[in-house]
Amino acid sequence: MNLSNKFTLYFSLSKLIIIGFFILLLPTLFDWYSVYTIDKFLGIQRQKVFHNIENKGLDFYLEGAESYGSYTMLKEDYISIQKTDPHTSINKEIDNQIRIIDQDTAQYRILKNIFTVDDKNYYLLEIGRSENTITLYSSLLQRVSLVLLVFLILITSVLDFFYSRRLLRPFWEIIDKRLVKQQFPFNLNFSSIRTSTNDFIFLDDSLQKLMVDINKAFSLEREFTSNASHELLTPISILKNKVENMLVDEDLKSPQADKLLEMSKTLDRLSRIVRALLFLARIDSGQYTKRESINIHELLQEIQTELTPLMDEKNIKSTLNINYHSPLVNLNKELIFHLFYNIVSNAIRYNVPDGYIYLTDQIDGKKYSVIIRDTGIGISEDKLSTLFNRFSHAVDGQRYGLGLSIVKSIADFFDISVEVHSRPGEGTTFILTFKTV
């Protein structure tokens, strides 16, 4: 999951938690708020009653009667004034009680107040509001608040999504330009990423510096390998010529001749290593073009023909079953030849007598794969991880192999995927996949 999606997920989950917490508190919160609002309303109504009594007298309500009672048509609110005993006490100023109005029983929130007129008559004032009104008011508030909350959550989630994408856009540009679209050796024609975030500026500058340092170190290594290889070839050739001249000496005795032959073989081996290193340096430096079209069937047929004498020595048979005959483009014939030649020659070298080598292919969408399978001695699992490392695996009992390193360098140069599957005693399978056909 990328960073932008993680931000979006985090924001969404945090808002869902807030909604859940709010929903749990909503009934209690709005019940309290409804009661608080109703109590405030009852207090205002009491002030109005006392204001009317003060300005217009108590008869404004009693109209000559002993008591007064009035309620709305739906019996949501009522007011009553009646005489009471001077010793009457009120436990709670506002309380929930049941009242019977026109033979209907209803639960009310009632405010009670005892007051006197002319300092001798005591009256009880009751102002009530139906609890159904309180419940209805609370329910309405809850629904409105919930809808408003969901709407705000949706709006803020959309804003968070677009803001996080805008905020992280320079980061994705850095990843795209500095990592995804770069191939080693890196293109150092940098254009700075436009951003006002100091962290992204620091990241971009650090990656640029790192790429420059890597290119510089790689150039130095490549230059050293190339120069060293060139310098070594000359003395090796001179030594080789001197050994050959000594071998044609008629007075040379047999023991000395054997030692000179061993020396000549060692020089040949050293020469192959130096040439392989020089070849690798040329691949790594990108000195080869990628403009040629190659027919894989014809190329493998050519390699099969060239390696026939080596296969005949161990009585190894090979089958070529390539069904794709269209050319692959943007390649280099010399390098692709070396790529397959090294794999097939290894399949011969490490095969068993009377063994087999199978060369097949397959197409999966736009991916084209060539499969090389042998019936050889196989490779142990602990050696598979270092199979392509230079000088890391043994060839003929000595650790100087560069064939598979060349394979890996060529594959990386053309962005060819290489898979190896092997078990000791069961042979080895190489799968080389070209991305487009």
Side-chain angles (χ1 to χ4, degrees), residues 52-53 56-66 68 117 123:
N52 289 332
I53 292 174
K56 300 177 182 180
L58 185 58
D59 282 339
F60 176 77
Y61 290 103
L62 297 180
E63 295 180 347
E66 290 292 324
Y68 168 80
V117 177
Y123 290 89

Side-chain angles (χ1 to χ4, degrees), residues 67-318:
S67 62
Y68 168 80
S70 175
Y71 53 87
T72 59
M73 183 178 295
L74 297 177
K75 302 176 185 177
E76 294 177 350
D77 304 307
Y78 85 90
I79 297 177
S80 71
I81 301 174
Q82 57 187 341
K83 278 188 177 184
T84 187
D85 190 276
H87 303 290
T88 302
S89 61
I90 299 174
N91 293 327
K92 290 184 179 180
E93 184 182 25
I94 300 179
D95 198 6
N96 296 333
Q97 292 184 356
I98 297 175
R99 289 289 184 269
I100 298 175
I101 300 177
D102 289 347
Q103 299 181 352
D104 287 337
T105 301
Q107 188 83 16
Y108 283 90
R109 182 80 173 166
I110 300 174
L111 180 149
K112 295 181 179 180
N113 202 129
I114 295 176
F115 65 96
T116 62
V117 177
D118 300 329
D119 295 329
K120 56 183 179 179
N121 296 318
Y122 286 80
Y123 290 89
L124 174 64
L125 170 66
E126 287 188 357
I127 303 175
R129 168 156 281 197
S130 171
E131 285 198 353
N132 290 333
T133 304
I134 298 175
T135 303
L136 181 64
Y137 184 64
S138 175
S139 177
L140 179 62
L141 281 176
Q142 290 183 46
R143 287 196 296 269
V144 171
S145 298
L146 189 58
V147 170
L148 182 62
L149 179 63
V150 171
F151 177 73
L152 291 176
I153 290 292
L154 290 175
I155 292 296
T156 54
S157 296
V158 172
L159 291 176
D160 288 343
F161 174 75
F162 285 104
Y163 180 72
S164 64
R165 288 180 66 89
R166 180 179 178 83
L167 185 66
L168 292 173
R169 185 181 301 164
F171 176 75
W172 299 126
E173 288 185 16
I174 292 171
I175 297 298
D176 184 57
K177 289 185 177 181
R178 305 292 179 251
L179 300 178
V180 176
K181 291 184 178 179
Q182 284 281 0
Q183 288 186 345
F184 190 76
F186 303 121
N187 178 12
L188 301 182
N189 294 324
F190 299 123
S191 57
S192 297
I193 303 298
R194 295 180 59 186
T195 177
S196 58
T197 306
N198 293 332
D199 294 332
F200 292 156
I201 294 174
F202 176 77
L203 176 63
D204 189 33
D205 292 342
S206 299
L207 284 175
Q208 290 183 31
K209 184 178 183 301
L210 182 62
M211 293 164 70
V212 170
D213 292 342
I214 291 174
N215 265 18
K216 187 181 296 183
F218 174 73
S219 297
L220 292 173
E221 179 188 359
R222 183 180 60 197
E223 185 178 348
F224 169 78
T225 303
S226 179
N227 293 338
S229 300
H230 278 295
E231 294 298 327
L232 285 172
L233 282 176
T234 301
I236 290 172
S237 298
I238 294 173
L239 287 172
K240 175 72 173 173
N241 290 333
K242 288 185 177 181
V243 170
E244 290 175 350
N245 290 334
M246 293 172 68
L247 283 171
V248 298
D249 189 352
E250 295 179 356
D251 297 331
L252 187 66
K253 296 180 180 180
S254 180
Q256 286 80 9
D258 291 340
K259 290 180 179 180
L260 287 173
L261 283 173
E262 291 179 4
M263 188 182 298
S264 179
K265 289 181 180 179
T266 301
L267 288 171
D268 286 338
R269 205 155 47 233
L270 181 59
S271 178
R272 287 196 298 271
I273 293 174
V274 172
R275 293 183 186 279
L277 286 172
L278 185 58
F279 184 56
L280 283 169
R282 292 179 62 193
I283 296 172
D284 292 339
S285 62
Q287 295 182 22
Y288 290 90
T289 61
K290 301 179 182 180
R291 300 177 182 175
E292 296 179 356
S293 300
I294 297 173
N295 186 297
I296 292 295
H297 183 273
E298 294 177 359
L299 184 74
L300 291 176
Q301 205 169 39
E302 183 181 346
I303 292 173
Q304 193 180 38
T305 301
E306 188 168 328
L307 292 174
T308 296
L310 191 59
M311 288 189 286
D312 290 342
E313 291 179 7
K314 300 176 72 173
N315 195 29
I316 294 173
K317 296 179 175 58
S318 68

Side-chain angles (χ1 to χ4, degrees), residues 280-403:
L280 283 169
R282 292 179 62 193
I283 296 172
D284 292 339
S285 62
Q287 295 182 22
Y288 290 90
T289 61
K290 301 179 182 180
R291 300 177 182 175
E292 296 179 356
S293 300
I294 297 173
N295 186 297
I296 292 295
H297 183 273
E298 294 177 359
L299 184 74
L300 291 176
Q301 205 169 39
E302 183 181 346
I303 292 173
Q304 193 180 38
T305 301
E306 188 168 328
L307 292 174
T308 296
L310 191 59
M311 288 189 286
D312 290 342
E313 291 179 7
K314 300 176 72 173
N315 195 29
I316 294 173
K317 296 179 175 58
S318 68
T319 58
L320 181 63
N321 186 17
I322 301 297
N323 298 313
Y324 187 75
H325 294 280
S326 299
L328 300 178
V329 297
N330 298 325
L331 298 174
N332 183 286
K333 185 174 182 179
E334 180 184 353
L335 294 184
I336 299 300
F337 182 90
H338 279 287
L339 174 73
F340 286 108
Y341 185 92
N342 284 332
I343 295 176
V344 177
S345 63
N346 274 357
I348 298 170
R349 182 178 301 172
Y350 298 107
N351 215 322
V352 296
D354 302 318
Y356 287 88
I357 298 174
Y358 304 95
L359 306 173
T360 58
D361 65 348
Q362 66 179 19
I363 299 176
D364 182 11
K366 291 187 176 182
K367 294 183 178 181
Y368 173 68
S369 299
V370 177
I371 302 144
I372 303 170
R373 181 168 65 89
D374 64 58
T375 58
I377 60 176
I379 305 168
S380 61
E381 187 175 351
D382 60 324
K383 291 182 179 179
L384 280 175
S385 60
T386 60
L387 190 63
F388 297 105
N389 294 355
R390 299 178 186 182
F391 303 105
S392 66
H393 58 285
V395 178
D396 297 336
Q398 302 183 47
R399 305 178 74 83
Y400 58 83
L402 285 170

